[in-house]
Amino acid sequence: MKLGVAWYPEQHPPERWPEDTRRMAEAGLELVRLGEFAWTAMEPARDQLDWTWLDRAIDTAAAAGLQVVLGTPTAVPPVWLCLEHPEILSVSPEGHRRAYGSRRFNCPTVPAYREACQRIVAAMVQRYGSHPAIVAWQLDNEPGNHDSARCWCDWCERAFQDWLRERYGTIEALNRAWGTVFWSGQYPSFEAVRLPRPTNAAHSPNLLLAHRRFSSRQALACIQEQQAIVATGAPGRMIFANLPATELAVDHHPFARLGGAAAIDVYPTGMGTPEDVAYLLDLALGYTGRAWIMEHQPGPINWTPTTDPVPPGQVRLWGWRAALHGFEAFLFFSWRPTRSGSEQYHTGLLRHDGSADRGLIEATRLAAELRLADPALLRRPPAEVALLTTHDDRWAIEISPHRAGLTHQALVVAAHAAARRLGYEVDVVAPEPAIAGRYRVLLAPALHLATPEVRATLRAALDAGALVILGARSLVKDADNCWVEEPLPAGFAGQLGSFVADWFGLQTPVTLAVAASDHGPGASGVPAGIWTDVLAEPAEGSGAEVIARYETGWMAGLPAAVRRGELAYLGATSTEAWQALLQQLIGPGPAGIAGPAEERFVRAGRSIVLNHDRLTVHGLD
Amino acid sequence: MKLGVAWYPEQHPPERWPEDTRRMAEAGLELVRLGEFAWTAMEPARDQLDWTWLDRAIDTAAAAGLQVVLGTPTAVPPVWLCLEHPEILSVSPEGHRRAYGSRRFNCPTVPAYREACQRIVAAMVQRYGSHPAIVAWQLDNEPGNHDSARCWCDWCERAFQDWLRERYGTIEALNRAWGTVFWSGQYPSFEAVRLPRPTNAAHSPNLLLAHRRFSSRQALACIQEQQAIVATGAPGRMIFANLPATELAVDHHPFARLGGAAAIDVYPTGMGTPEDVAYLLDLALGYTGRAWIMEHQPGPINWTPTTDPVPPGQVRLWGWRAALHGFEAFLFFSWRPTRSGSEQYHTGLLRHDGSADRGLIEATRLAAELRLADPALLRRPPAEVALLTTHDDRWAIEISPHRAGLTHQALVVAAHAAARRLGYEVDVVAPEPAIAGRYRVLLAPALHLATPEVRATLRAALDAGALVILGARSLVKDADNCWVEEPLPAGFAGQLGSFVADWFGLQTPVTLAVAASDHGPGASGVPAGIWTDVLAEPAEGSGAEVIARYETGWMAGLPAAVRRGELAYLGATSTEAWQALLQQLIGPGPAGIAGPAEERFVRAGRSIVLNHDRLTVHGLD
Amino acid sequence: MKLGVAWYPEQHPPERWPEDTRRMAEAGLELVRLGEFAWTAMEPARDQLDWTWLDRAIDTAAAAGLQVVLGTPTAVPPVWLCLEHPEILSVSPEGHRRAYGSRRFNCPTVPAYREACQRIVAAMVQRYGSHPAIVAWQLDNEPGNHDSARCWCDWCERAFQDWLRERYGTIEALNRAWGTVFWSGQYPSFEAVRLPRPTNAAHSPNLLLAHRRFSSRQALACIQEQQAIVATGAPGRMIFANLPATELAVDHHPFARLGGAAAIDVYPTGMGTPEDVAYLLDLALGYTGRAWIMEHQPGPINWTPTTDPVPPGQVRLWGWRAALHGFEAFLFFSWRPTRSGSEQYHTGLLRHDGSADRGLIEATRLAAELRLADPALLRRPPAEVALLTTHDDRWAIEISPHRAGLTHQALVVAAHAAARRLGYEVDVVAPEPAIAGRYRVLLAPALHLATPEVRATLRAALDAGALVILGARSLVKDADNCWVEEPLPAGFAGQLGSFVADWFGLQTPVTLAVAASDHGPGASGVPAGIWTDVLAEPAEGSGAEVIARYETGWMAGLPAAVRRGELAYLGATSTEAWQALLQQLIGPGPAGIAGPAEERFVRAGRSIVLNHDRLTVHGLD
């Protein structure tokens, strides 16, 4: 795993650059990212391009032996362009045009923005496409971040209608697919389908999911235009969109596949528990099997509510975590904190005054350790267990959480963390037919939309002998976010020999008991989580067996999990329930049992343990 | 009490309808409601009416032996109408026109909407006015719901000014009545009185109350136009507006009186404690003495934050509660959950897949029990105790709660629940002169506006020998929401021999002690609630006696309740304080003492006890 | 200290006025304030002035022996003026013009408002400038209150650009000063600098601070125009702007200096702990050394969330607190509560019905006590300790708190309260060079902006031998709110022999230990507060000593406070940490140790103790 750092030479005098790049190299960093957020520096006015500073910055970096990741600067169009084309500014749901002065304030659809992006990217490619120091291009920055994916301008409305026309063909087909007969909402034409602007009650979840898909497609289309230019003009370089790991606004999947490897931005103190982060790392790795961390915090950051400290040892641990998960590169954000603007409180590897901050000291140690490490340690072994998930499912549950505080993230992390605590590697993959025969166990904790492809994938996996474990809220809706009028889990209730009889959020916690099996004595008193499905009692002789039952509340005694053959369904949603169930069904994995603050890996025959409480790394030496 | 259900045939293929209606009848349901939310199905485009499906649906229901409640569909104007007349869409306080795509997004004032409503209702009446299966018409749906009563469009502003002109005559009279001299707000003309759009500090409570009254009148006027058409064209049928039991946006009173019986929509898991629900049921019954439940949840619902489960036994208990309170009909919402739109997570009597959900099983049992029950059990006996309340009071306290979290609902429920816990039936009635001689005890827990009619009613009741117990925040303001410049309680301080010396919210709880009386030994350590009035010590020899004193805090020793003759005033606001005071003043009632989770009824000489914790019904057999 | 009261004669019939003013005088009140909020009464329509009522009201007050404070009524322009010039209404960030009907809804910049203000003030001055009963003029009312300082209208935008042009000269200079190169935000011209309207991510802190300064200047300019008129036409009278003590929207400093004495409005139940209030009182006194309380609550108020009661003894205590802090006048708000409008629940000295409320009884006692008191008791002695603060610092931390819940107020009150608990008088003063030699100890708890003037003041104070104690977040930014690229504390790290190595908010509390000194044995287990800086270990032999270390968390053992010579830096932010440090550095003060609910004063050789829990005043007799 190569280390690197984001660098903003335009914020500092050129006289400082040789020292900065020299110190990067001395610390063991190999990659330096620059250029994004510098559109105005590159193009200070219409038809004026200034490459002098960028030439010098790239050459300075190259002279220090650094490899360059060059960013296209399209996440912030210049003020002069906004004044020339005010329609570039995106429009809020209430119809207010957003002000410039922050970032990602532009509409992703409007032609004036698209054209300006293509022009500046083409100019960059022309100048730097074959620069030997440049090993990769980053396109734009964090698509979808700051709620930028969705815009309510007239350009977007027309594009939305066109997209629907293409997708559904006739308005009657759309009305049928969305069930607009509910609340008398039948559209007379595609022109009548408006972007979901504020109204006094909720908009249809069908419209809302379509709108999210459309908006994500618009953001993608923008970047695909850049990709085409770079791929042609800068052959042989890697191409990335860097994705904000925790933002849901766009579907990361196609972005991650733009250039063969995914790239994500990772800020652990703003991402939840270590188990949340571990899931998101595996999610990114699952897109193509290869991934970079394009930004990683080196210390306290500015945008979390409590701005937690980052204790000594933390940065090194983060680096090793990424390496053990299988990332190929790890770039800190950033070299030196900005003196102006919104991110003054975001630490860097240096302090504001240019002296080394703690992050640089740990980065230097990490670089040395990685250089000395056995490469086999950093090779991720094939996994027996995979977790299936799609971005559409995240959106569908975001639109209709149905229980305050319930998120798709929590539902999938519970299953992922349970398998990890049991000692398994877990691949996070899309439910595409290709994966059917690849894994021994498939976890489907919240595989919400029962599309034909999803059904076919599960069917094929079962046919291939895999154990498939469905979780609450799996296989409930169709591709248009309508409830499927079949027994739940849709398409598989028959095979399961049971069905979902009750589903709801819980205010008062309940527990469940998991039956004994060959793998152990079972468990009781297991907390069920804030959402539970209750399953129907299977018929005698159906071959279905109840492998967990609720113990408390009015559902005491009723089925919490049922299994028939290689298909199982778990109605509870906590990590503890998943862990108890997996223990019963498949027993512990190769890495051994880990606590919630631990991560255990088997690499090159060695057991390596990260402890996120004590900030220790065991098993490397 | 008849059972019934809401049914949306337009959402399902006609081939399914005979099975659905047959199963309704088999379950013992007698009423089926349909039609509301089907405007576009009835009128798919301008000047096109399609009755074929509705003919068939009504006839199918009739063939199954069901009685039909036909709903007018005006709660959702069709999309084509909104495109033709965009001014139909209501306007938010900030001036944004609301989008179509949900429901109740229309302005209640704009002529294009009013005319379209009259046209569709007239057409329905022409076709179905004398249909023998139709026993009742529901007009519109849940007026005021989703904050739909108030609209800030130009049509509404002009109508508001006209309404004020009619009410006050001259702008000088309005300025006097509203006290606009405060903060230099004198209006030079009626045209200068604007709807209360956002400003940087609070608007005058005087304007805000007038605006609520006006808006409620507009919503009513809409429905009165429909009522005139139906009453003429469908003679002999009942006519209802179904009222959302917990929404404050319109004054339910005149709506409930449109057709002789009130109808409310009851969703207990979104309505607070069982005592909150019991109050709201009695409130609805008090409007005319007769009432239906037009919608009632049959299981978990989609719009509460935690989507609580509905355990076995709950639906049956809810049914019996309604019957014992005296409702004449009880319709579930709905037969089968929708597959599309905003309410996919709202359970029905069936599941999405068409199989029977738990609600249907309990409804079937409930129907059988009701059929076998002694009719005398369901007859509500005359009450000795009445609670006086007006919707204006709810609004006035909503506008000026003065203590975060304090609601009119909480103030009145405390008194209602206290009398119910003591074993009394409690009628909830408006303070109209007609009720003066009808009750032994009148509770006025938050009878805020001391209008001439309210004063006259109380005076007449005292003259007729009733015991009148005023609560905190009673008799404070005039009809225009100005503070009355008299000692409080306004108009009755002299008779009470005391007055309200201090009033405020409390952060630190205090307790009070109630003196002994013929009815018992008194009580101490009684919590006072989050709002307390402190009364002045009565003069020696005035005949007024202090019957409760605060025990803790700086007001320890000061009067919490005073009585003189048949007039009493309680400064504390908790249920416990009301119960202790009523115990002292009138002793226990015929049904005996109940706990907070119980309801006790005496019916046909039998004692019936509902337990809302254990979900049990005792005393029926 | 003179007592007085706000009076709104226009809200009551003139026949009542003699009784009201007689009772004021009988209670011992000497001052009566009237006129503000009466613009429409003075000028009911364009070019019509009505002075009859005001003549009579002033004369009635004078006849009762009262001295009059006359308020200009410009905080609420009349409705007729708003109709004539709708551009007077201010504009929200989203572009909505605010409605009239409340107060302070006007733009401070628009010429139509400025001209109307000058006209009405000139007319008032012409009529009353030499009235012998008038001793003071209040200009406008609570500038900045209700978020009124900032307006987003086109007039304000142009004025903002003009102000920037004047301040920076060239757009290049502004771009440099604000560091707009961050996020590619370089402005091509001053016309391109827009008011900070909503965007999807944060605006630059540099723009936001400039916008606050500009807006404050606009509000000040309005009032300066009035001041010029009054100073000329009403010679010899005091002139005040009454400042809402807890609102941050304008910089109070120049307002307080308009007329030689500051005036603030004090509502303790809405201002935090007694220590918060004590700080704000000293802050007001520090502006010029002289101050009035122009409004003070006499009982419960209407705008705090919980509307706390005001127990017996509280009003008297408040009066004595103000007197002992050194205020020259203390006016209650108000004489009688309004019957209409937004403040009906705000108590007065009378009740709504005109009878004496508790406030009047206590005010009468207070007046008598003050009349009898030794004048020397009310003379504030010179302080040894001063706390340095600026309004710019409050704004800068408000814009970038960096830790949810952290406020400038909390940071400065911690230091102020600590010194007060130790028994010291504390002057709160601006860091102007003039104060350099005046104090033995200077506290700089959050002196955020390291401007040249601030640096010079600190340098001069150190040169003069004062002990200077810097707190966390001092000396971090430059005058334009950019981070200073020097070791922190900027400009003084060298002299300190240490620097700020880590800074962040804390979720998990930590403690620190303060070393022993000549003043005592030190302390351990001292809570550090929700923000901490960790200091670098000083070099051996540098002369710097670590005088406090953290005890828990990952920073256990690291320096929490360092001292070198007369310069010290405290990284912790709690009152307890400041108190322990001050105890170590300077030992207890003359008044002796006080608890958090106490205030101790030494006046005329006597020790006086106010207890804010027990509401007692000890040491007066």
Side-chain angles (χ1 to χ4, degrees), chain C residues 136-156:
Chain C
W137 288 68
Q138 175 188 301
L139 309 181
D140 205 71
N141 188 71
E142 300 194 343
N145 170 278
H146 303 307
D147 198 24
S148 63
R150 282 175 272 172
C151 166
W152 277 258
C153 79
D154 294 343
W155 288 98
C156 285

Side-chain angles (χ1 to χ4, degrees), chain B residues 94 96 176 178-179 181-184 186 188 192 194 197-203 205-206 402-404 448 473 477-478 481-483 485-487 499 501-505 507 554, chain C residues 10-12 37 39-40 76 79 83 96 98-100 102-105 146 148 301-302 305-309 311-312 336 338-345 347 351-353 357-358:
Chain B
E94 295 78 19
H96 300 302
R176 264 196 313 278
W178 291 8
V181 63
F182 176 81
W183 285 359
S184 191
Q186 296 96 324
R194 300 276 170 82
R197 296 197 178 80
T199 181
N200 53 324
H203 273 293
N206 311 94
H402 191 43
R403 198 265 185 219
H448 200 52
R473 306 196 76 168
K477 304 278 195 88
D478 69 16
N481 213 12
C482 284
W483 200 289
E485 298 196 321
E486 300 168 69
F499 61 88
D502 279 291
W503 38 259
F504 35 73
Q507 276 187 299
W554 68 264
Chain C
E10 67 274 25
Q11 295 185 18
H12 300 280
F37 303 135
W39 193 338
T40 311
V76 194
V79 174
L83 292 170
H96 300 301
R98 284 161 177 149
Y100 54 76
S102 65
R103 65 177 181 179
R104 304 212 64 82
F105 43 73
H146 303 307
S148 63
I301 54 178
N302 66 303
T306 50
T307 63
D308 305 323
R336 184 174 174 173
T338 178
R339 59 179 280 272
S340 59
S342 300
E343 293 185 340
Q344 298 175 34
Y345 279 88
T347 50
R351 293 200 182 84
H352 288 85
D353 63 13
D357 206 344
R358 254 189 313 111

Side-chain angles (χ1 to χ4, degrees), chain C residues 211-263:
Chain C
H211 184 228
R212 278 164 170 74
R213 282 177 173 143
F214 160 75
S215 299
S216 185
R217 214 244 356 200
Q218 293 305 97
L220 180 65
C222 253
I223 289 187
Q224 282 172 326
E225 290 173 358
Q226 297 190 24
Q227 193 241 18
I229 297 167
V230 174
T232 307
R237 271 65 177 186
M238 296 185 79
I239 300 178
F240 296 102
N242 67 321
L243 298 163
T246 46
E247 300 243 7
L248 305 175
V250 299
D251 179 357
H252 289 178
H253 205 160
F255 288 89
R257 292 184 168 187
L258 277 175

Side-chain angles (χ1 to χ4, degrees), chain C residues 194-216:
Chain C
R194 300 276 170 81
L195 296 172
R197 297 197 177 80
T199 181
N200 52 325
H203 274 293
S204 153
N206 310 94
L207 169 63
L208 294 176
L209 180 59
H211 184 228
R212 278 164 170 74
R213 282 177 173 143
F214 160 75
S215 299
S216 185

Side-chain angles (χ1 to χ4, degrees), chain A residues 178-191:
Chain A
W178 291 9
T180 55
V181 62
F182 178 80
W183 285 0
S184 190
Q186 296 96 326
Y187 296 106
S189 65
F190 283 107
E191 289 72 28

Side-chain angles (χ1 to χ4, degrees), chain C residues 20-56:
Chain C
D20 280 328
T21 49
R22 178 180 51 75
R23 289 170 74 183
M24 291 175 198
E26 281 173 11
L29 308 182
E30 298 176 75
L31 295 160
V32 64
R33 186 187 67 156
L34 50 84
E36 93 281 4
F37 303 135
W39 193 338
T40 311
M42 298 177 194
E43 189 177 18
R46 163 70 62 193
D47 294 329
Q48 289 179 29
L49 291 167
D50 177 4
W51 301 119
T52 47
W53 71 273
L54 188 53
D55 289 352
R56 184 167 168 183

